[in-house]
Amino acid sequence: QVNVVVSGGGLVRPGGSLRLSCVCSGSLFSINYMAWYREAPEKERELVAAITSEGTTRYADSVKGRFIISGDSAANMVYLQMNRLKPEDTAEYYCLQRAFSEDGSQYNYWGQGTQVTVSS
């Protein structure tokens, strides 16, 4: 059974920082893609940042220069350091860890959401 556990959300003032963590256990195949998504009320879920097992990263334009994604592929852990937070960053944040089997099948493992609220 695959288990994805997310931690680190909370309430922070504008300009503050938070760090999210996500660990995946139980996957039969190697995790080679990890990402953070977020979903604000009445908005669609959007990609915030992603990292491959080779270390290639990708960010949404709205968080470039403020958020940093990092990962430990051997431990199936991914982090999101969020700096200079803005009220518009308020959302439920979700972790995705993706594995591929030898036959090319893709397995997406989602963690539970963690609420990030940026408010004075």
Side-chain angles (χ1 to χ4, degrees):
Q1 179 178 349
V2 178
N3 195 30
V4 181
V5 178
V6 176
S7 60
L11 172 65
V12 64
R13 294 182 184 277
S17 298
L18 281 176
R19 188 182 192 229
L20 306 182
S21 301
C22 171
V23 59
C24 177
S25 60
S27 175
L28 296 178
F29 308 106
S30 296
I31 301 293
N32 52 22
Y33 177 87
M34 299 181 283
W36 290 95
Y37 283 75
R38 66 186 180 188
E39 189 172 328
E42 302 181 357
K43 291 187 177 181
E44 293 187 355
R45 188 174 296 190
E46 63 173 352
L47 175 69
V48 176
I51 186 168
T52 69
S53 56
E54 291 80 22
T56 302
T57 57
R58 174 187 174 189
Y59 294 93
D61 288 342
S62 59
V63 307
K64 282 180 181 176
R66 300 188 297 121
F67 289 12
I68 300 171
I69 188 170
S70 60
D72 181 346
S73 57
N76 292 346
M77 294 198 70
V78 61
Y79 308 95
L80 185 67
Q81 177 66 41
M82 303 184 292
N83 302 317
R84 292 185 283 136
L85 282 159
K86 303 176 180 180
E88 49 264 44
D89 294 317
T90 296
E92 191 86 0
Y93 283 70
Y94 296 89
C95 169
L96 166 67
Q97 299 212 22
R98 177 176 294 161
F100 289 90
S101 64
E102 292 180 353
D103 67 1
S105 297
Q106 179 178 295
Y107 297 87
N108 288 330
Y109 306 123
W110 289 93
Q112 84 283 6
T114 186
Q115 179 66 36
V116 171
T117 302
V118 185
S119 175
S120 55

